[in-house]
Amino acid sequence: MNVLVINCGSSSLKFQLINAETEAVLAKGLCERIGIEGSQLVYQPAGGEKEKTLADMPGHTQAVQMVLDALVNEKTGVIKSLDEIGAVGHRLVHGGEKFACSTVITEEVIAAVESCNDLAPLHNPANLIGVRACQELMPGVPMVGVFDTAFHQTMPEKAYLYGLPYEYYDKYKVRRYGFHGTSHSYVSKRAAELAGRPYDQLKTIVCHLGNGASVCAVQDGKSVDTSMGLTPLEGLLMGTRSGDIDPGVMEYIAKKEDKDIYQIMEILNKKSGVFGVSGISSDFRDLEAAAEKGDHAGVRALEAFEYRVAKYIGAYAAAMNGVDVICFTAGVGENGPDTRKAICDYLGFMGVEIDDEANKVRGEERLISTADSKIKVYCLPTNEELAIARETLALVKK
Ligand code: AMP
């Protein structure tokens, strides 16, 4: 069965058409600037050239229509008719406490996701617009929702509660939820396969280090803690997000700079992280280039990032009373040997030993620890689209 995987944002829509049995990607691409002047479709069939088509996309329905047209196009299409799409898998960001696993999308499910909109006001409504657009253009095709938060619903109370008055949890469900769940789940399962160990008897720490970044402790196949919280702002320093800070900093800066809470949130989300600390860029390639030239601004941002990741790994090793496997994934995790090495240099006390030759790897699955290392360390590319296609197939087949 072919599964169309959709990741819909407020002005963009990423897609992949995947043969869920062979797991081959038949075509992929994205629609950019939906609802904005200059919208375009980027489309790439497997083994073919990337093509860009400028076209008016006033809304997501037009964007989905462009994608479907491209998939069945006589010259560059990969299927003959839309009947060859057996199901659609949607990435949904926030399922609150309502969704602990993926689910077939019904009207009740849409209402339940809408009830979580306050928790992810930028993402959930956009995700649902994508669902509605697909329903309109592919009536009768089953749709599945795969939540970023669902994998972390196994976190125990002690890990998900904030040290706040309990009434805020009771009344508003203010708690830690965590994100990147599809990635943490995929990578931790794959690591168990690579290590030849049963998933339900393994302690794994997954470092998803991309522009957004989070660490997850996976014990016996369950997420027991993760660094993001109510929103994706908590935890690591990220590309532009601050991660953990003393909340007192917010009041202090607000007073000094005469800013309101929304302006402060904008700073914490868009102007902080390695971008803010370096004043150079949110992209690790730029920071590494700056550091190589001896620019301390690049060095201080990279060091602050690495130190924070190492601290979380130490914390999660304590949370699980040990760790068997550490994985690095996403943009920086998969492509940054120097960052991986610098993080692992903090972990010698735990018996982590990196094989410098093996660590010279980008974007490939590889064991990067030595044979003597007490903990196996992997570079392990994530594949959220494939994970969504798998979940979709499993639910639609039932
Ligand atoms: P993601 O959000 O997973 O797509 O990751 C994006 C980030 O990965 C970019 O901001 C870069 O900082 C980082 N990245 C991508 N390629 C490389 C590379 N070759 N070396 C270092 N960092 C990279």
Side-chain angles (χ1 to χ4, degrees):
M1 177 199 292
N2 296 329
V3 174
L4 180 61
V5 176
I6 299 276
N7 181 352
C8 191
S10 55
S11 65
S12 70
L13 185 151
K14 291 189 200 136
F15 68 93
Q16 282 194 8
L17 186 67
I18 297 177
N19 178 323
E21 277 93 18
T22 63
E23 303 199 333
V25 177
L26 305 179
K28 63 180 175 184
L30 80 156
C31 300
E32 294 171 300
R33 300 177 63 86
I34 301 168
I36 308 170
E37 209 176 308
S39 42
Q40 68 167 358
L41 167 77
V42 182
Y43 171 81
Q44 187 174 26
E49 293 287 309
K50 212 183 247 186
E51 57 182 54
K52 291 184 180 174
T53 316
L54 280 168
D56 210 19
M57 291 182 225
H60 289 75
T61 307
Q62 290 84 358
V64 175
Q65 187 66 62
M66 289 269 313
V67 171
L68 298 179
D69 289 347
L71 292 172
V72 297
N73 181 283
E74 265 187 17
K75 280 194 195 135
T76 52
V78 290
I79 50 175
K80 289 210 168 57
S81 99
L82 295 182
D83 297 341
E84 291 174 50
I85 300 177
V88 183
H90 291 271
R91 177 190 179 217
L92 302 179
V93 167
H94 216 308
E97 287 187 330
K98 295 199 162 81
F99 297 98
C101 57
S102 305
T103 181
V104 173
I105 297 176
T106 60
E107 284 305 311
E108 291 76 37
V109 166
I110 290 177
V113 176
E114 275 171 349
S115 75
C116 302
N117 279 2
D118 276 356
L119 291 166
L122 293 180
H123 293 102
N124 272 21
N127 298 158
L128 288 176
I129 288 172
V131 172
R132 288 293 188 206
C134 289
Q135 284 178 328
E136 191 183 327
L137 297 171
M138 288 178 274
V141 176
M143 314 256 162
V144 167
V146 180
F147 296 89
D148 262 24
T149 50
F151 182 59
H152 304 300
Q153 278 297 300
T154 45
M155 275 197 284
E157 195 180 45
K158 64 186 175 189
Y160 72 66
L161 281 183
Y162 285 117
L164 291 170
Y166 192 72
E167 63 177 291
Y168 299 131
Y169 172 64
D170 250 356
K171 281 199 281 192
Y172 310 122
K173 296 289 168 220
V174 173
R175 51 160 283 180
R176 309 183 60 257
Y177 289 95
F179 297 86
H180 294 141
T182 312
S183 175
H184 288 303
S185 163
Y186 172 87
V187 170
S188 56
K189 270 190 203 127
R190 184 73 190 125
E193 285 171 11
L194 292 175
R197 300 274 302 271
Y199 187 47
D200 58 2
Q201 291 170 33
L202 203 62
K203 294 170 180 173
T204 305
I205 295 175
V206 181
C207 306
H208 178 114
L209 310 179
N211 195 31
S214 68
V215 185
C216 181
V218 185
Q219 184 167 10
D220 304 340
K222 294 191 179 98
S223 168
V224 292
D225 208 342
T226 191
S227 56
M228 285 178 168
L230 175 79
T231 74
L233 190 50
E234 190 179 339
L236 304 178
L237 267 87
M238 305 179 212
T240 61
R241 295 185 206 133
S242 65
D244 301 332
I245 58 159
D246 174 355
V249 169
M250 297 166 72
E251 186 197 17
Y252 192 79
I253 295 176
K255 278 191 181 151
K256 290 277 182 204
E257 298 261 320
D258 190 25
K259 293 195 187 301
D260 64 23
I261 184 72
Y262 302 105
Q263 291 170 310
I264 294 289
M265 293 309 290
E266 171 92 4
I267 292 167
L268 297 185
N269 272 302
K270 304 263 172 71
K271 302 203 166 122
S272 300
V274 291
F275 170 72
V277 172
S278 68
I280 297 173
S281 169
S282 62
D283 194 303
F284 278 67
R285 286 162 287 198
D286 299 336
L287 299 176
E288 282 173 7
E292 257 164 47
K293 278 194 247 145
D295 184 344
H296 182 68
V299 175
R300 70 182 177 230
L302 289 168
E303 287 186 348
F305 174 84
E306 293 151 4
Y307 178 67
R308 181 84 55 94
V309 178
K311 275 210 300 191
Y312 265 98
I313 293 173
Y316 288 169
M320 296 192 288
N321 191 20
V323 51
D324 303 307
V325 176
I326 296 171
C327 306
F328 289 97
T329 195
V332 188
E334 294 167 23
N335 298 296
D338 295 344
T339 305
R340 291 192 297 254
K341 169 77 174 154
I343 293 166
C344 288
D345 278 349
Y346 285 99
L347 309 173
F349 78 99
M350 289 170 22
V352 170
E353 216 179 85
I354 292 299
D355 178 332
D356 290 330
E357 269 312 301
N359 188 35
K360 286 181 190 157
V361 62
R362 292 179 197 270
E364 261 176 53
E365 286 183 352
R366 191 185 287 176
L367 182 71
I368 58 168
S369 50
T370 63
D372 290 337
S373 180
K374 284 199 189 124
I375 296 164
K376 283 188 191 304
V377 184
Y378 289 97
C379 169
L380 214 168
T382 191
N383 195 336
E384 288 166 283
E385 292 79 13
L386 178 58
I388 292 173
R390 283 179 182 167
E391 295 270 304
T392 304
L393 180 70
L395 280 169
V396 169
K397 262 189 162 177
K398 268 187 187 167

